[in-house]
Each structure stands twice: as C-alpha cells, then as structure tokens.
C-alpha cells in the first residue's frame, strides 16, 4: 500500500489515536504500520477502505480530502475502537497541514526543507553561527583564524541554542515577546525534536512521530505556523527514511531538524520583528501591487519527486523585479510537457506559457506573494503586450550585475534556514564563454568562464530523457569557444555551479528554453580550433576545506541517534586537521559534539542516568547551523573574480 493512496490525516488525530493506545499496543504499533502497508486499498468517494484481513475492513473518511477527526477512522475488528489498526492507519497516512487556505491561490502550483573545548563556551556557538551572514568567511581563507561566531552581532547571539531562560513578559498579549503559551508550545517542539536526535531514524517510530505531531498541532493553535510546519516536515522525512523512499536524503532531514530546533528556541529569545519572522505566516499573503508591465524571460519544466508536474514561467518587471506564473499539479513529466502549451491562467491573456516566456503582459490589479508568484484572482486583468530581447532594456540590466553580487543575493534566497517570507530569487544571469565538458565524480558537466575569469560548472536541471536538458547541455559541450548569455539556478557548492535553465540561441537570434527546446548541431557555430580545457585548478577558498569532517558527524547522528555517534571513539586526528585548515571553531564544535554524545553519568549506585538529550541537541544544533553558515561563505567567496580575471 502506497501512503499516497491514503488521505492526509490531521496531526492531532494521529497524536490522539496513538496516545490512547495501551503501553502494550504502542510497542506493536510500528509493526502494525508495516503490516498495514502491505494491504490493498480502495477508494469510494471520500472514503478509503483498507482490507486488514479477509473479514475486517478499516475505513478512513475524508470529507474535503482530509481526515479531521478520530471518529473518521473506523475499524471492524473486535477490539475497535481501542485497536491498534486505527492508529496504524493514521501513522501510515500523510500528515495534513491544516494551515488556512491561501488568500489568493494563483494556480495549483505546489510550494517548491576557536579552540573551544569547554562545553559551556561551545553552547554559545549555536546562536552565533546560525545567523552569520554568508559574507563572513571563517573558512574562506586558511589564514583567517577569526571564528565566524566572533564576528556576528550581539542580536545574532540569541539565535539557535536549546531552551533558554524565559524573558520577562510585560503582558500576555504583548506583540513584542512570545506569550507563555507560545513558549510552552516551543519547549514541547524542542523536546520532541531532541527525542528524534536521541533515537535517530531507526528509533523514531510512530510513537516518537506522534509526539512531534502533537507538538506541531499545539504550535499551530498557538500561532506558531513556522515551527509547526518544520515539525511536520521532520515527520514526513522520518517516514520517507523508514519506508526506504528513494527520494529521501539525510541532508534534508538534517536541515529540517535544525530548522525545527532553532525556530523552537528562538520563540523564547526573540522579540519585535525577529519574533514575527520566527512565528511565520499561516498563509501566503498575496498583496496588491497595482499595475505591472511584465517582460517574459523563459519557461522551465517543474517535475517533483511526489509525482507533480507542470511549468513555471519567469517574467521581469520594468524595474527588474522577478515574478513567476506557474501551473503545477499531479501528473509528472507528461503533464509538464503538455501544460507548456496551455494558456496562462492570468487575466484575459491568451498566451501560452511558452509564448509568455518570449512576450510581455500588461497587468492591472496585480497581486504578488512574497516569493514573487503572481496571483490569479478575479480582480486581476492582463492583456498581451510586446516583449523585450535579453539584450534590450529592461531585461539587459539583469546581466549587468557582477556575478559575485548575484551569487550573494541568490545565497540569501537558497540558504537552508532562510526566512520563508524573505523573497528573493536563486537565479543568476551571466555572459559566459563555453570551454567544453569536464569530468567530475558524479559524471560530467559543462565548463564555462564568466566575468572576472570565474570558471562555472553548468549542470543539467533534470535528467529525465523526456525533457531536453541533457541533450542540449551535451550538444553545447561540443562547441567550446561559443559565447552565450545564460540563466541558471545557483547550486550552493565550494565552487561556482549552476543548473542551466535557458540561454541565448547560439546563432544570436532568440532564446532557448533548455527544458523544452531542442538544439541541433546545425545551430552551433563551427569552432575555429579544438579546445580541451582542464578542470578548474583546485586551490579556491573551499577546494581543500575539511569542513566535511564536521558535516559528516552531524549527518551520522540522524540515522542512528546520539549513541551511535558516542561510540565513534577519539576524534583528535580529525580536530587537528580542522585546526590546521584555520577552522578552530569547527574543531571545538566537533570535540564538544562527540563528547556530549558519549557522556553518560551514573548515580551513587553506579547505575546509568538518563542521557542529557537537551544538552546533546544544543551541541548538534550548533554544529549543524555552523557548517551551513561556513558552507555558504565558501560558496560566496568562490564567485569572487580570479586574479587573472581581475587584471
């Protein structure tokens, strides 16, 4: 039984059913979930039926598409309603996010997750490293031995550690600080997240997940949608990991856990505008933006691991702001190919998505979300207008910003812990000279040189053979010396890297949507001489960074839990190597993390005391947020012009 065949279940429903089980049945719950997953299902309107056995059926009633009450799950076995089957079905189904509906939903598009050895001093590193801007490069140079954490502001030092003393509260309704109920909800989220770290994926079964769901539900009721959403993301990823989902990545769960723990802590330490960002929004606010004159840039296919497919068309305003018009729904790559030639659902325009990528729109009564999506409400009016070439104003200005500035802007948008309402784009607009194919550990990619002599690796956005990405990039790699104007999406890495989305036509006429348009060899200019470029020389700011030694310990915690990390033994050799590279803060974090994982105190009779889950979670969070901040610093520094290009 595929979990996608079951209707989403409200978090509080799953939590209540699990909490109502007897201790004996709770021990059998994970096995029951696995057993139920092998049963067949059938759907009849709003009801999904699972055949528990030859004589027993389990029903999930989901009016409106969501199982919203415990009574909506019924079982025909003799032990019902106190049986394990109802809780198992709820745990096997996806967790529903019951945030209010969007104010103005434009389409069906889905949202695109120092030598400090004293533990007391290392604890403070979480808050500083979590909010360190990408420009602060503790690891950007092996000679820079000032920790990133020492260069953050005093405000940033109150960010991402474990639960802290409760700040004074002027009044329960004060908008400047969290209410007592919100701080209590945040503490529950912290404890539930710390329990996941303690147990690891292997031990975080249905009971542990139900505690997260209960905490997420409470946080939503207490007006903490950002923390609630982070908890639901952790549950979804835990289930994917335990089910062997091929799309699951440990790094995604690391990010989700760090977001959950960090946000939960910040609820109690933030105030004013920072607290508003930490609380988050329960709905995407499409705000009025008056009249807009838009110019098409390109259209890209969107294919998700969850089976959704469609397109996203990018347009720019006369002031250079970027907007998107999307159409994504269940259907996969086949739907993406079909939707590209359907009319854009925006006002009275008859343009298709592919046509809009090269034309223009005049929009009246426009509504825009913080991430740039254009609303399609009844009050929006749009008519076709003249577009602009990439070399004409206002689009030409997008390519005039230096690559390093564009990369820094994109990093602020793609940061693992970026403010969900921060907006911004992860696109880069570059003029490049193609150098040819270059081999890497995962295959090969297209090497190019952009302004400042910076070597950029251009990779395929989607390997699906039904899309044109792979064939087009392979063909462009056979034309070294070709100069193109390109649009790509930043891939955070220690070296400049983009997924290639669109480019100017090699003939100089028009543009190419690399996911849809297929280039031919006749479209490429004949090279005057063969070029065999060597890979970029190692030696950039992040080329030899041993930061991965800390990153892998952070990731190793997630699958097997704290105890597994505590058994890894001495890490002196690793910390010595990290210090030699100029990363004393990372070395201190690694030492403290492993020491916390191995620490187990005993009572007067020699019996082991419960592990300090909060203390370990604090050290783990500090390491996770620090590695993310330094990795982003390395990425930003890699886009700086080379010495040869600066001359």
């Amino acid at each position: 039984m595929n979990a996608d065949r079951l209707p989403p279940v409200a978090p509080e429903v799953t939590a209540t059913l699990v909490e109502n089980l007897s201790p004996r049945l709770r021990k059998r719950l994970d096995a029951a979930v696995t057993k139920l997953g092998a049963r067949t299902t059938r759907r009849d309107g709003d009801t999904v039926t699972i055949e528990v056995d030859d004589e027993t059926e389990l029903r999930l009633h989901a009016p409106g598409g969501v199982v919203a009450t415990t009574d909506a799950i019924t079982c025909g076995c003799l032990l019902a309603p106190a049986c394990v089957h109802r809780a198992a079905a709820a745990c096997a189904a996806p967790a529903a996010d019951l945030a209010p509906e969007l104010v103005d939903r434009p389409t069906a598009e889905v949202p695109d997750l120092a030598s400090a050895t004293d533990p007391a001093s290392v604890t403070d590193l979480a808050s500083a490293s979590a909010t360190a801007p990408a420009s602060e490069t503790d690891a950007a140079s092996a000679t820079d031995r000032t920790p990133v954490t020492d260069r953050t502001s005093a405000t940033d030092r109150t960010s991402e550690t474990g639960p802290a003393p409760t700040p004074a509260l002027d009044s329960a309704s004060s908008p400047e600080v969290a209410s007592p109920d919100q701080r209590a909800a945040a503490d529950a989220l912290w404890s539930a997240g710390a329990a996941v770290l303690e147990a690891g994926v292997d031990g975080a079964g249905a009971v542990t997940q139900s505690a997260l769901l209960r905490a997420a539900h409470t946080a939503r009721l207490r007006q903490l949608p950002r923390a609630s959403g982070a908890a639901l993301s952790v549950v979804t990823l835990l289930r994917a990991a335990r089910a062997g989902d091929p799309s699951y990545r440990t790094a995604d769960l690391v990010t989700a856990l760090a977001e959950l723990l960090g946000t939960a802590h910040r609820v109690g330490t933030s105030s004013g505008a920072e607290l508003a960002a930490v609380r988050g929004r329960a709905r995407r606010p499409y705000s009025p933006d008056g009249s807009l004159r838009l110019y098409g840039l390109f259209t890209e296919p969107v294919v998700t691991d969850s089976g959704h497919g469609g397109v996203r068309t990018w347009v720019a305003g006369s002031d250079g702001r970027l907007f998107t018009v999307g159409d994504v729904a269940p259907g996969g790559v086949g739907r993406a190919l079909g939707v590209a030639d359907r009319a854009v659902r925006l006002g009275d325009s008859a343009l298709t998505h592919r046509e809009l990528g090269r034309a223009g729109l005049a929009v009246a009564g426009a509504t825009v979300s913080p991430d740039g999506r254009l609303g399609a409400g009844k009050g929006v009016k749009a008519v076709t207008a003249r577009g602009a070439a990439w070399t004409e104003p206002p689009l030409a200005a997008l390519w005039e910003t230096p690559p390093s500035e564009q990369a820094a802007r994109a990093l602020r948008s793609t940061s693992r812990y970026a403010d969900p309402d921060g907006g911004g784009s992860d696109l880069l607009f570059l003029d490049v000279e193609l150098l040819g194919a270059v081999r890497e550990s995962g295959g090969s990619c297209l090497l190019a040189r952009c302004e400042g002599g910076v070597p950029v690796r251009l990779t395929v956005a989607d390997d699906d053979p039904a899309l044109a990405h792979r064939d087009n990039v392979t063909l462009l790699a056979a034309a070294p010396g070709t100069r193109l104007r390109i649009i790509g999406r930043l891939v955070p890495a220690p070296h400049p890297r983009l997924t290639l989305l669109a480019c100017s036509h090699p003939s100089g006429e028009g543009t190419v949507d690399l996911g849809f348009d297929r280039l031919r060899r006749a479209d490429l200019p004949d090279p005057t001489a063969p070029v065999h470029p060597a890979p970029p020389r190692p030696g950039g700011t992040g080329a030899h960074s041993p930061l991965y030694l800390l990153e892998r310990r952070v990731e190793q915690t997630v699958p097997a839990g704290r105890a597994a990390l505590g058994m890894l033994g001495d890490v002196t050799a690793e910390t010595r190597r990290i210090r030699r590279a100029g990363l004393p803060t990372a070395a201190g974090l690694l030492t403290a993390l492993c020491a916390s994982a191995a620490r187990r105190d005993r009572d007067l009779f020699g019996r082991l005391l419960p592990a300090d889950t909060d203390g370990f979670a604090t050290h783990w969070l500090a390491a996770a947020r620090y590695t993310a901040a330094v990795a982003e610093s390395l990425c930003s520094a890699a886009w700086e012009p080379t010495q040869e290009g600066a001359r």
Side-chain angles (χ1 to χ4, degrees), residues 22 26 32 54 131 174-175 179 218 220 246 255 284 380 394 410 446 454 464 495 502 535 558 574 603 628:
S22 66
R26 288 191 188 187
D54 293 340
T131 54
S174 172
S179 69
T218 303
R220 180 169 59 85
T255 300
R284 184 182 300 117
V380 178
L446 174 58
V454 177
D464 194 304
H495 52 266
V558 173
E574 296 180 9
D603 63 14

Side-chain angles (χ1 to χ4, degrees), residues 437-453:
V438 60
R439 289 191 174 278
E440 3 179 69
S441 58
S444 62
C445 64
L446 174 58
L447 185 65
R449 182 186 295 112
C450 70
E451 178 185 336

Side-chain angles (χ1 to χ4, degrees), residues 553-589:
R553 299 306 185 194
V554 170
E555 289 199 0
Q556 283 173 344
T557 306
V558 173
R562 175 199 56 78
L565 186 64
M567 293 186 295
L568 292 177
D570 186 31
V571 292
T572 303
E574 296 180 9
T575 57
R576 186 182 300 116
R577 181 178 173 187
I578 294 173
R579 291 181 190 282
R580 284 201 301 265
L583 296 170
T585 303
L589 286 168

Side-chain angles (χ1 to χ4, degrees), residues 203-218:
V207 175
T208 302
Q209 294 168 25
S210 72
L212 267 173
L213 292 173
R214 172 62 70 193
H217 172 62
T218 303

